[in-house]
Amino acid sequence: MPKVPYLRLAIVSLAIGAVIAVLMIQIDWNGEAGSTAAGPIDALLDWMIIISSFVFAIVCVFLGYALYRWRVKPGDESDGLPIHGNTKLELTWTIIPTVIVLFAAGYSWAVLDDIEEVDSDPLIVNVYSQQFAWTFGYPTEGNKWSEGEFHVPVGQQVIFKMNAQDVLHSFWVPEWRIKKDNVPGITTDAVVTPDRVGTFQLICTELCGAGHSVMRAKVVVEPRKKFNRWVKGLEEEVPQGLYLTADQALEIQRQIQKAEGGIGGSGVDETTRDNVTQS
Amino acid sequence: MAHALREPGWYRAALGTLIGAAFGFGLVVILRLVSGLDAFQTEQTGYPQVIVPLITAPFGFLIGFGAFSYWFRWAAGKPTVPDDHSGHGATRWQDYFTFNTDHKVIGIQYIVTTFFFFFVGGLLAMLIRAELAQPGTQIVDPNVYNGLFSTHATVMIFLFIIPMFAGIANYVLPIMIGAPDMAFPRLNALSFWLLPIAGVIFMGSFLAPGGSFDAGWTGYAPLSTGAPLGQSFFNVGVQFAGASSIATSVNFLVTIITMRAPGMNLWRMPLLVWANLSTSLIVVGATPFIAGVQFMVLFDRIMGMNFFNFLEGGDVLSYQHIFWFYSHPAVYIMMLPGFGIISEVIATNARKPIFGYRLMALALLGIVVLSYSVWAHHMFVAGMFSWLRVPIMITTLLIAVPTGIKVFSWLGTLFYGKIHTYSTAMLFALGFIVTFTVGGISGVMLGMVPLDIHMSDTYFVVAHIHFVLFGGSVFTIFAGIYYWFPKMTGRMYDERLGRIHFWGTMIGTWGTFIPQHWIGLEGMPRRVADYASQFGEWNLVISFFSLILGLAQLVFLYNMVVSWKYGPKASGNPWRSKTIEWLVSSPPPTFNFDEIPRVVGGPYEYGTPGARHAIMGDEDAEATVPEPKPSSVPAAT
Ligand code: HEM
Ligand SMILES: [Cu+2]
Ligand SMILES: [Cu+2]
């Protein structure tokens, strides 16, 4: 049987895999980071991108080599070698991937425990979602109410207690890397420690009807003092039940959009961030 | 005319539809009046006077069409009319519009019908991409937009990919195992005719007040329980598509288990047969769950049953558990038959036995078992009990192992082969390996809980599903269609147009779906009619490539239609394959074989001089064949 330069193919795969990996991790995949969860999650993603680059390179190199070496012109009617398999090889490509995915699972588990660990004195924020508006209550302040915007202090852990009032919604702040569905009938929660001052966007990521794509809210992470001032300024208590109809909420979201010229980036709004940091 | 109305056929079917609709309508109105209610109920979710006829009219159609004639006579104790098989085969195009029980006719009916829905779904996709080409609202308002992506996904999944695989297998699988037909030909025909019914119902939802169903193909409660009338069309349409799917897979199971030609033991079955065996095991176990959960939604909507009404003690999350208990296995219903097709195409075009054939078959069964244990990976952020996430993550990631085995074994099959890349079927098979690998990789990432928390419900998921469904399932469908086109039509297709189609599809797929990974991670959620302007450029690029993808499919359509009519005549075995469907003429004779073939060896004995898979009845019955021994690959040098 003619020889195949397996060693060389392996080296080429590794080399190409390394090049792809290096190129791929240059890209800032998840965008800006704004919470303590972002570090471990982004590192986990980078690991997976590196491993995947090698897997992809191996598939492409071996496929490419097979085509380069054994492609025939039309008219060649001969057959390939009658090889039916190789138990050692088959075991190898069963066991190595198993080890890799178990490693990925273990690593993920560790990261999950890490990012969901609850501190001793978290700030609780109640989240109420409805078609197509977000409201927030601060239980420490007698559940005083803020609509369409919420503030949290930088560097303190926040636990969001979420309640959907009509259909499913989902709470996502991309910079925080945290997402959780709001489910009618139960309270779900998410743990975040924002570590960067700025203005972000809260995005609804569960299809909730005609206004789903505009269902957003403003997230302000600010120094503790400023936060305290803001939260003391809240006046009304959270209303019982739906305080708007879906149509009214949609209209409000549309007005905001019009004023801002579009849905607005999910990224940090530079001007507001500067204002926040300065004061 | 009176005669035409008595004989099974289109006239009687039209009459049956009317009678069925009138019966359902009358039943609702009379029962309501008797109960002292208004005759009509037109609250947003109700409309029993529309929904009940929507269920009874199709039965009227089927009865009129003759789908139940034989069974009714039998049930009534009347002498049944034995099939004289005069209706077998199709000589004119009109024959495809009859209740035909010939598996080859049914196969063609399936394939043509599902391709029709592929183009319907594709048109909807083009509208979606047109709206998304720029930020803001240009073409459709958000309500209509939600209807577009919901119907797009529903049509593609329930009316194209799943039934297309049933159609391809319907045509080739019985011949492959040396059977004259499927085990239950009448059930087979019924399975097919349920499909256009589901299609009419899904599309009919566009006419409903409030527009088509728009809660996504996932139809999550309580958005779906409170949605306008169109949603009920989804609930009912899924019943017909699901029933079709279940009936077909029962048919495949019985056919594969009991009707293999003598000598075809399990380890001599071609991998397409293994794949359909595995798929059918998933369908019969999982599909009842989606049927059930859609009925629950329908009952909530019409009868106020409160399964998912949280105000009355209903449990919103249980919808998702039941739905995904079907719909995760369903993604393998959409992939395993494709794996089977790729194995056939690669073995034939690499002129080599499948590398690690037994492990390939076992990997399929491994996927079947695992696929029932991973449903909750679609619910990592859904607010379900948090302890379930880690076990589900582990099973989810383990599914990548048998999937990887398949990819590596195909590569192993190419090594030391004689690879023919001339046929478009092989191009799609090779393109599939590379493209599907990307989809598998993004799947593993999504399976990791901390990553999924960020990625779930973003465009990253959209990228994943299109890499596995377009780059995966649809590529395998094209590979299969090109591969068996000569067998089915008796003519060759145009390879040059095939190559244009392949490269257009390849470039279109990568250009459309690669950037979606990136914009998803950067913050673009899925299922949105409008998005932040920072994603404008990428979305324009995506829409541009999706247009290329769409146009490439027109080349395919042209090639198929013209080649079917005018292509050069195909020989019985243009690819010089070994499996039984290639040992009969193209197209095969009406009952496939004069005499049932004898299977004497494995399906892929390329390269072993004199080795045979099957001996046809008219050949020398004494021919003996050496059983080839497995040999091995040399170790690394
Ligand atoms: C390596 C194997 C695979 C793994 C580990 C995997 C994993 C996942 C995960 C975790 C999700 C949920 C993402 C989310 O919504 O947050 C997902 C979504 C999805 N996957 Fe896969 N997947 C794999 C292969 C496939 C295949 C072969 C198909 C179909 C041919 C498929 C079709 C889908 C679809 C349709 C969805 C989206 C469902 C929806 O929400 O609409 N996947 N996959
Ligand atoms: Cu939403
Ligand atoms: Cu899944």
Side-chain angles (χ1 to χ4, degrees), chain B residues 117 120-121 124 128 144-157 159 202-203 205-206 212-217 234:
Chain B
F117 286 119
V120 171
L124 294 166
I128 293 173
V144 177
Y145 180 85
N146 290 354
L148 286 182
F149 70 72
S150 302
T151 44
H152 159 72
T154 303
V155 166
M156 287 300 196
I157 289 173
L159 298 178
F202 286 146
M203 289 296 124
S205 76
F206 277 102
S212 67
F213 52 91
D214 57 3
W217 81 277
F234 174 81

PDB file of all heavy atoms in Angstrom, chain B residues 117 120-121 124 128 144-157 159 202-203 205-206 212-217 234:
ATOM      1  N   PHE B 117     -42.382  23.467  -1.929  1.00  0.00           N
ATOM      2  CA  PHE B 117     -42.389  24.208  -0.666  1.00  0.00           C
ATOM      3  C   PHE B 117     -41.021  24.822  -0.371  1.00  0.00           C
ATOM      4  O   PHE B 117     -40.928  25.860   0.285  1.00  0.00           O
ATOM      5  CB  PHE B 117     -42.858  23.314   0.485  1.00  0.00           C
ATOM      6  CG  PHE B 117     -44.341  23.056   0.440  1.00  0.00           C
ATOM      7  CD1 PHE B 117     -44.836  21.773   0.301  1.00  0.00           C
ATOM      8  CD2 PHE B 117     -45.237  24.112   0.517  1.00  0.00           C
ATOM      9  CE1 PHE B 117     -46.196  21.545   0.244  1.00  0.00           C
ATOM     10  CE2 PHE B 117     -46.593  23.899   0.465  1.00  0.00           C
ATOM     11  CZ  PHE B 117     -47.080  22.611   0.320  1.00  0.00           C
ATOM     12  N   VAL B 120     -41.251  28.038  -2.050  1.00  0.00           N
ATOM     13  CA  VAL B 120     -42.131  28.933  -1.287  1.00  0.00           C
ATOM     14  C   VAL B 120     -41.377  29.485  -0.084  1.00  0.00           C
ATOM     15  O   VAL B 120     -41.310  30.698   0.155  1.00  0.00           O
ATOM     16  CB  VAL B 120     -43.410  28.193  -0.817  1.00  0.00           C
ATOM     17  CG1 VAL B 120     -44.206  29.064   0.147  1.00  0.00           C
ATOM     18  CG2 VAL B 120     -44.260  27.810  -2.014  1.00  0.00           C
ATOM     19  N   GLY B 121     -40.749  28.584   0.680  1.00  0.00           N
ATOM     20  CA  GLY B 121     -40.001  29.015   1.861  1.00  0.00           C
ATOM     21  C   GLY B 121     -38.842  29.927   1.490  1.00  0.00           C
ATOM     22  O   GLY B 121     -38.526  30.880   2.209  1.00  0.00           O
ATOM     23  N   LEU B 124     -40.073  33.408   0.901  1.00  0.00           N
ATOM     24  CA  LEU B 124     -40.294  34.083   2.183  1.00  0.00           C
ATOM     25  C   LEU B 124     -38.949  34.559   2.752  1.00  0.00           C
ATOM     26  O   LEU B 124     -38.836  35.669   3.286  1.00  0.00           O
ATOM     27  CB  LEU B 124     -40.979  33.136   3.170  1.00  0.00           C
ATOM     28  CG  LEU B 124     -42.410  32.723   2.789  1.00  0.00           C
ATOM     29  CD1 LEU B 124     -42.882  31.542   3.612  1.00  0.00           C
ATOM     30  CD2 LEU B 124     -43.359  33.908   2.971  1.00  0.00           C
ATOM     31  N   ILE B 128     -37.621  38.282   3.878  1.00  0.00           N
ATOM     32  CA  ILE B 128     -37.000  38.574   5.180  1.00  0.00           C
ATOM     33  C   ILE B 128     -35.702  39.339   4.966  1.00  0.00           C
ATOM     34  O   ILE B 128     -35.445  40.367   5.590  1.00  0.00           O
ATOM     35  CB  ILE B 128     -36.729  37.262   5.943  1.00  0.00           C
ATOM     36  CG1 ILE B 128     -38.035  36.579   6.328  1.00  0.00           C
ATOM     37  CG2 ILE B 128     -35.861  37.523   7.168  1.00  0.00           C
ATOM     38  CD1 ILE B 128     -37.845  35.195   6.926  1.00  0.00           C
ATOM     39  N   VAL B 144     -46.183  41.645  10.210  1.00  0.00           N
ATOM     40  CA  VAL B 144     -46.045  40.815   9.015  1.00  0.00           C
ATOM     41  C   VAL B 144     -44.682  40.143   9.033  1.00  0.00           C
ATOM     42  O   VAL B 144     -44.548  38.958   8.686  1.00  0.00           O
ATOM     43  CB  VAL B 144     -46.212  41.678   7.747  1.00  0.00           C
ATOM     44  CG1 VAL B 144     -45.987  40.841   6.500  1.00  0.00           C
ATOM     45  CG2 VAL B 144     -47.579  42.325   7.729  1.00  0.00           C
ATOM     46  N   TYR B 145     -43.675  40.881   9.464  1.00  0.00           N
ATOM     47  CA  TYR B 145     -42.327  40.315   9.520  1.00  0.00           C
ATOM     48  C   TYR B 145     -42.310  39.062  10.403  1.00  0.00           C
ATOM     49  O   TYR B 145     -41.755  38.030  10.014  1.00  0.00           O
ATOM     50  CB  TYR B 145     -41.330  41.347  10.052  1.00  0.00           C
ATOM     51  CG  TYR B 145     -39.937  40.795  10.126  1.00  0.00           C
ATOM     52  CD1 TYR B 145     -39.112  40.827   9.003  1.00  0.00           C
ATOM     53  CD2 TYR B 145     -39.467  40.189  11.281  1.00  0.00           C
ATOM     54  CE1 TYR B 145     -37.855  40.270   9.044  1.00  0.00           C
ATOM     55  CE2 TYR B 145     -38.204  39.631  11.336  1.00  0.00           C
ATOM     56  CZ  TYR B 145     -37.399  39.671  10.212  1.00  0.00           C
ATOM     57  OH  TYR B 145     -36.164  39.107  10.253  1.00  0.00           O
ATOM     58  N   ASN B 146     -42.942  39.151  11.580  1.00  0.00           N
ATOM     59  CA  ASN B 146     -42.986  37.984  12.465  1.00  0.00           C
ATOM     60  C   ASN B 146     -43.669  36.802  11.777  1.00  0.00           C
ATOM     61  O   ASN B 146     -43.279  35.652  11.964  1.00  0.00           O
ATOM     62  CB  ASN B 146     -43.715  38.322  13.766  1.00  0.00           C
ATOM     63  CG  ASN B 146     -42.907  39.267  14.647  1.00  0.00           C
ATOM     64  OD1 ASN B 146     -41.763  39.582  14.336  1.00  0.00           O
ATOM     65  ND2 ASN B 146     -43.500  39.718  15.736  1.00  0.00           N
ATOM     66  N   GLY B 147     -44.681  37.112  10.974  1.00  0.00           N
ATOM     67  CA  GLY B 147     -45.336  36.045  10.214  1.00  0.00           C
ATOM     68  C   GLY B 147     -44.412  35.455   9.174  1.00  0.00           C
ATOM     69  O   GLY B 147     -44.415  34.248   8.940  1.00  0.00           O
ATOM     70  N   LEU B 148     -43.580  36.300   8.557  1.00  0.00           N
ATOM     71  CA  LEU B 148     -42.696  35.805   7.491  1.00  0.00           C
ATOM     72  C   LEU B 148     -41.696  34.792   8.023  1.00  0.00           C
ATOM     73  O   LEU B 148     -41.533  33.711   7.457  1.00  0.00           O
ATOM     74  CB  LEU B 148     -41.935  36.976   6.847  1.00  0.00           C
ATOM     75  CG  LEU B 148     -42.731  37.876   5.921  1.00  0.00           C
ATOM     76  CD1 LEU B 148     -41.824  38.953   5.340  1.00  0.00           C
ATOM     77  CD2 LEU B 148     -43.352  37.071   4.793  1.00  0.00           C
ATOM     78  N   PHE B 149     -40.989  35.131   9.124  1.00  0.00           N
ATOM     79  CA  PHE B 149     -39.975  34.153   9.552  1.00  0.00           C
ATOM     80  C   PHE B 149     -40.611  32.922  10.175  1.00  0.00           C
ATOM     81  O   PHE B 149     -40.050  31.834  10.105  1.00  0.00           O
ATOM     82  CB  PHE B 149     -38.901  34.786  10.449  1.00  0.00           C
ATOM     83  CG  PHE B 149     -39.339  35.203  11.823  1.00  0.00           C
ATOM     84  CD1 PHE B 149     -39.625  34.264  12.796  1.00  0.00           C
ATOM     85  CD2 PHE B 149     -39.424  36.548  12.154  1.00  0.00           C
ATOM     86  CE1 PHE B 149     -40.008  34.645  14.062  1.00  0.00           C
ATOM     87  CE2 PHE B 149     -39.806  36.943  13.425  1.00  0.00           C
ATOM     88  CZ  PHE B 149     -40.110  35.990  14.376  1.00  0.00           C
ATOM     89  N   SER B 150     -41.823  33.104  10.744  1.00  0.00           N
ATOM     90  CA  SER B 150     -42.488  31.923  11.310  1.00  0.00           C
ATOM     91  C   SER B 150     -42.899  30.951  10.208  1.00  0.00           C
ATOM     92  O   SER B 150     -42.665  29.745  10.317  1.00  0.00           O
ATOM     93  CB  SER B 150     -43.719  32.338  12.114  1.00  0.00           C
ATOM     94  OG  SER B 150     -43.361  33.229  13.143  1.00  0.00           O
ATOM     95  N   THR B 151     -43.504  31.479   9.153  1.00  0.00           N
ATOM     96  CA  THR B 151     -43.926  30.581   8.073  1.00  0.00           C
ATOM     97  C   THR B 151     -42.710  30.057   7.315  1.00  0.00           C
ATOM     98  O   THR B 151     -42.693  28.893   6.899  1.00  0.00           O
ATOM     99  CB  THR B 151     -44.881  31.289   7.091  1.00  0.00           C
ATOM    100  OG1 THR B 151     -44.365  32.593   6.812  1.00  0.00           O
ATOM    101  CG2 THR B 151     -46.262  31.430   7.662  1.00  0.00           C
ATOM    102  N   HIS B 152     -41.695  30.895   7.147  1.00  0.00           N
ATOM    103  CA  HIS B 152     -40.476  30.427   6.470  1.00  0.00           C
ATOM    104  C   HIS B 152     -39.936  29.175   7.165  1.00  0.00           C
ATOM    105  O   HIS B 152     -39.716  28.142   6.533  1.00  0.00           O
ATOM    106  CB  HIS B 152     -39.415  31.528   6.475  1.00  0.00           C
ATOM    107  CG  HIS B 152     -38.006  31.041   6.276  1.00  0.00           C
ATOM    108  ND1 HIS B 152     -37.546  30.588   5.061  1.00  0.00           N
ATOM    109  CD2 HIS B 152     -36.969  30.913   7.147  1.00  0.00           C
ATOM    110  CE1 HIS B 152     -36.281  30.206   5.181  1.00  0.00           C
ATOM    111  NE2 HIS B 152     -35.895  30.392   6.440  1.00  0.00           N
ATOM    112  N   ALA B 153     -39.731  29.265   8.476  1.00  0.00           N
ATOM    113  CA  ALA B 153     -39.137  28.142   9.203  1.00  0.00           C
ATOM    114  C   ALA B 153     -40.064  26.937   9.194  1.00  0.00           C
ATOM    115  O   ALA B 153     -39.628  25.804   9.004  1.00  0.00           O
ATOM    116  CB  ALA B 153     -38.819  28.556  10.634  1.00  0.00           C
ATOM    117  N   THR B 154     -41.356  27.187   9.373  1.00  0.00           N
ATOM    118  CA  THR B 154     -42.303  26.080   9.433  1.00  0.00           C
ATOM    119  C   THR B 154     -42.354  25.324   8.110  1.00  0.00           C
ATOM    120  O   THR B 154     -42.314  24.092   8.076  1.00  0.00           O
ATOM    121  CB  THR B 154     -43.702  26.626   9.787  1.00  0.00           C
ATOM    122  OG1 THR B 154     -43.589  27.337  11.027  1.00  0.00           O
ATOM    123  CG2 THR B 154     -44.710  25.527   9.921  1.00  0.00           C
ATOM    124  N   VAL B 155     -42.416  26.082   7.014  1.00  0.00           N
ATOM    125  CA  VAL B 155     -42.456  25.445   5.702  1.00  0.00           C
ATOM    126  C   VAL B 155     -41.165  24.671   5.454  1.00  0.00           C
ATOM    127  O   VAL B 155     -41.179  23.515   5.019  1.00  0.00           O
ATOM    128  CB  VAL B 155     -42.679  26.519   4.613  1.00  0.00           C
ATOM    129  CG1 VAL B 155     -42.377  25.963   3.238  1.00  0.00           C
ATOM    130  CG2 VAL B 155     -44.102  27.030   4.671  1.00  0.00           C
ATOM    131  N   MET B 156     -40.026  25.274   5.753  1.00  0.00           N
ATOM    132  CA  MET B 156     -38.763  24.621   5.474  1.00  0.00           C
ATOM    133  C   MET B 156     -38.595  23.335   6.291  1.00  0.00           C
ATOM    134  O   MET B 156     -38.094  22.337   5.800  1.00  0.00           O
ATOM    135  CB  MET B 156     -37.594  25.565   5.770  1.00  0.00           C
ATOM    136  CG  MET B 156     -37.440  26.675   4.753  1.00  0.00           C
ATOM    137  SD  MET B 156     -37.156  26.016   3.089  1.00  0.00           S
ATOM    138  CE  MET B 156     -36.540  27.465   2.248  1.00  0.00           C
ATOM    139  N   ILE B 157     -39.008  23.381   7.551  1.00  0.00           N
ATOM    140  CA  ILE B 157     -38.790  22.217   8.416  1.00  0.00           C
ATOM    141  C   ILE B 157     -39.842  21.137   8.169  1.00  0.00           C
ATOM    142  O   ILE B 157     -39.511  19.986   7.911  1.00  0.00           O
ATOM    143  CB  ILE B 157     -38.799  22.651   9.895  1.00  0.00           C
ATOM    144  CG1 ILE B 157     -37.525  23.455  10.192  1.00  0.00           C
ATOM    145  CG2 ILE B 157     -38.920  21.444  10.827  1.00  0.00           C
ATOM    146  CD1 ILE B 157     -37.496  24.065  11.566  1.00  0.00           C
ATOM    147  N   LEU B 159     -42.365  21.001   5.828  1.00  0.00           N
ATOM    148  CA  LEU B 159     -42.835  20.679   4.478  1.00  0.00           C
ATOM    149  C   LEU B 159     -41.697  20.496   3.479  1.00  0.00           C
ATOM    150  O   LEU B 159     -41.924  20.128   2.340  1.00  0.00           O
ATOM    151  CB  LEU B 159     -43.767  21.783   3.964  1.00  0.00           C
ATOM    152  CG  LEU B 159     -45.032  21.976   4.786  1.00  0.00           C
ATOM    153  CD1 LEU B 159     -45.848  23.118   4.225  1.00  0.00           C
ATOM    154  CD2 LEU B 159     -45.854  20.699   4.814  1.00  0.00           C
ATOM    155  N   PHE B 202     -51.046  25.636   6.389  1.00  0.00           N
ATOM    156  CA  PHE B 202     -50.039  26.630   6.791  1.00  0.00           C
ATOM    157  C   PHE B 202     -50.178  27.907   5.957  1.00  0.00           C
ATOM    158  O   PHE B 202     -50.175  29.017   6.469  1.00  0.00           O
ATOM    159  CB  PHE B 202     -48.623  26.075   6.623  1.00  0.00           C
ATOM    160  CG  PHE B 202     -48.220  25.061   7.669  1.00  0.00           C
ATOM    161  CD1 PHE B 202     -47.387  23.998   7.339  1.00  0.00           C
ATOM    162  CD2 PHE B 202     -48.654  25.172   8.978  1.00  0.00           C
ATOM    163  CE1 PHE B 202     -46.999  23.073   8.298  1.00  0.00           C
ATOM    164  CE2 PHE B 202     -48.273  24.247   9.945  1.00  0.00           C
ATOM    165  CZ  PHE B 202     -47.448  23.196   9.593  1.00  0.00           C
ATOM    166  N   MET B 203     -50.296  27.720   4.636  1.00  0.00           N
ATOM    167  CA  MET B 203     -50.369  28.897   3.767  1.00  0.00           C
ATOM    168  C   MET B 203     -51.698  29.611   3.939  1.00  0.00           C
ATOM    169  O   MET B 203     -51.772  30.837   3.829  1.00  0.00           O
ATOM    170  CB  MET B 203     -50.200  28.476   2.303  1.00  0.00           C
ATOM    171  CG  MET B 203     -48.791  28.045   1.959  1.00  0.00           C
ATOM    172  SD  MET B 203     -47.689  29.435   2.141  1.00  0.00           S
ATOM    173  CE  MET B 203     -46.525  28.840   3.252  1.00  0.00           C
ATOM    174  N   SER B 205     -53.139  30.261   6.483  1.00  0.00           N
ATOM    175  CA  SER B 205     -53.133  31.155   7.644  1.00  0.00           C
ATOM    176  C   SER B 205     -52.911  32.603   7.223  1.00  0.00           C
ATOM    177  O   SER B 205     -53.269  33.518   7.944  1.00  0.00           O
ATOM    178  CB  SER B 205     -52.076  30.708   8.648  1.00  0.00           C
ATOM    179  OG  SER B 205     -50.799  31.068   8.207  1.00  0.00           O
ATOM    180  N   PHE B 206     -52.323  32.809   6.048  1.00  0.00           N
ATOM    181  CA  PHE B 206     -52.141  34.189   5.588  1.00  0.00           C
ATOM    182  C   PHE B 206     -53.484  34.886   5.361  1.00  0.00           C
ATOM    183  O   PHE B 206     -53.574  36.105   5.376  1.00  0.00           O
ATOM    184  CB  PHE B 206     -51.323  34.228   4.291  1.00  0.00           C
ATOM    185  CG  PHE B 206     -49.845  34.172   4.527  1.00  0.00           C
ATOM    186  CD1 PHE B 206     -49.133  32.998   4.339  1.00  0.00           C
ATOM    187  CD2 PHE B 206     -49.154  35.297   4.959  1.00  0.00           C
ATOM    188  CE1 PHE B 206     -47.768  32.949   4.574  1.00  0.00           C
ATOM    189  CE2 PHE B 206     -47.784  35.252   5.191  1.00  0.00           C
ATOM    190  CZ  PHE B 206     -47.090  34.074   4.997  1.00  0.00           C
ATOM    191  N   SER B 212     -50.962  35.632   9.286  1.00  0.00           N
ATOM    192  CA  SER B 212     -50.476  34.268   9.473  1.00  0.00           C
ATOM    193  C   SER B 212     -49.945  34.098  10.892  1.00  0.00           C
ATOM    194  O   SER B 212     -49.744  35.070  11.617  1.00  0.00           O
ATOM    195  CB  SER B 212     -49.365  33.981   8.484  1.00  0.00           C
ATOM    196  OG  SER B 212     -48.247  34.782   8.810  1.00  0.00           O
ATOM    197  N   PHE B 213     -49.702  32.851  11.262  1.00  0.00           N
ATOM    198  CA  PHE B 213     -49.137  32.609  12.599  1.00  0.00           C
ATOM    199  C   PHE B 213     -47.792  33.296  12.689  1.00  0.00           C
ATOM    200  O   PHE B 213     -47.024  33.323  11.736  1.00  0.00           O
ATOM    201  CB  PHE B 213     -49.037  31.114  12.900  1.00  0.00           C
ATOM    202  CG  PHE B 213     -48.336  30.307  11.846  1.00  0.00           C
ATOM    203  CD1 PHE B 213     -46.973  30.081  11.916  1.00  0.00           C
ATOM    204  CD2 PHE B 213     -49.046  29.766  10.787  1.00  0.00           C
ATOM    205  CE1 PHE B 213     -46.319  29.332  10.952  1.00  0.00           C
ATOM    206  CE2 PHE B 213     -48.400  29.016   9.815  1.00  0.00           C
ATOM    207  CZ  PHE B 213     -47.044  28.806   9.894  1.00  0.00           C
ATOM    208  N   ASP B 214     -47.493  33.860  13.857  1.00  0.00           N
ATOM    209  CA  ASP B 214     -46.294  34.691  13.942  1.00  0.00           C
ATOM    210  C   ASP B 214     -45.576  34.523  15.269  1.00  0.00           C
ATOM    211  O   ASP B 214     -44.900  35.430  15.734  1.00  0.00           O
ATOM    212  CB  ASP B 214     -46.641  36.156  13.718  1.00  0.00           C
ATOM    213  CG  ASP B 214     -47.684  36.653  14.697  1.00  0.00           C
ATOM    214  OD1 ASP B 214     -48.085  35.875  15.572  1.00  0.00           O
ATOM    215  OD2 ASP B 214     -48.101  37.816  14.582  1.00  0.00           O
ATOM    216  N   ALA B 215     -45.688  33.352  15.893  1.00  0.00           N
ATOM    217  CA  ALA B 215     -45.000  33.131  17.162  1.00  0.00           C
ATOM    218  C   ALA B 215     -43.741  32.293  16.963  1.00  0.00           C
ATOM    219  O   ALA B 215     -43.242  31.681  17.887  1.00  0.00           O
ATOM    220  CB  ALA B 215     -45.931  32.453  18.165  1.00  0.00           C
ATOM    221  N   GLY B 216     -43.216  32.274  15.728  1.00  0.00           N
ATOM    222  CA  GLY B 216     -42.030  31.473  15.463  1.00  0.00           C
ATOM    223  C   GLY B 216     -42.405  30.029  15.198  1.00  0.00           C
ATOM    224  O   GLY B 216     -43.523  29.607  15.501  1.00  0.00           O
ATOM    225  N   TRP B 217     -41.448  29.271  14.619  1.00  0.00           N
ATOM    226  CA  TRP B 217     -41.770  27.852  14.373  1.00  0.00           C
ATOM    227  C   TRP B 217     -41.845  27.109  15.692  1.00  0.00           C
ATOM    228  O   TRP B 217     -42.392  26.035  15.774  1.00  0.00           O
ATOM    229  CB  TRP B 217     -40.728  27.213  13.456  1.00  0.00           C
ATOM    230  CG  TRP B 217     -39.461  26.776  14.132  1.00  0.00           C
ATOM    231  CD1 TRP B 217     -38.387  27.557  14.430  1.00  0.00           C
ATOM    232  CD2 TRP B 217     -39.126  25.460  14.599  1.00  0.00           C
ATOM    233  NE1 TRP B 217     -37.412  26.815  15.047  1.00  0.00           N
ATOM    234  CE2 TRP B 217     -37.833  25.513  15.162  1.00  0.00           C
ATOM    235  CE3 TRP B 217     -39.782  24.219  14.582  1.00  0.00           C
ATOM    236  CZ2 TRP B 217     -37.196  24.409  15.722  1.00  0.00           C
ATOM    237  CZ3 TRP B 217     -39.146  23.114  15.140  1.00  0.00           C
ATOM    238  CH2 TRP B 217     -37.865  23.222  15.701  1.00  0.00           C
ATOM    239  N   PHE B 234     -51.448  26.897  12.466  1.00  0.00           N
ATOM    240  CA  PHE B 234     -50.183  26.222  12.748  1.00  0.00           C
ATOM    241  C   PHE B 234     -50.439  24.961  13.568  1.00  0.00           C
ATOM    242  O   PHE B 234     -49.970  23.874  13.233  1.00  0.00           O
ATOM    243  CB  PHE B 234     -49.242  27.170  13.500  1.00  0.00           C
ATOM    244  CG  PHE B 234     -47.954  26.548  13.971  1.00  0.00           C
ATOM    245  CD1 PHE B 234     -46.894  26.385  13.094  1.00  0.00           C
ATOM    246  CD2 PHE B 234     -47.800  26.127  15.283  1.00  0.00           C
ATOM    247  CE1 PHE B 234     -45.701  25.813  13.522  1.00  0.00           C
ATOM    248  CE2 PHE B 234     -46.613  25.559  15.720  1.00  0.00           C
ATOM    249  CZ  PHE B 234     -45.561  25.399  14.835  1.00  0.00           C
TER     250      PHE B 234
END
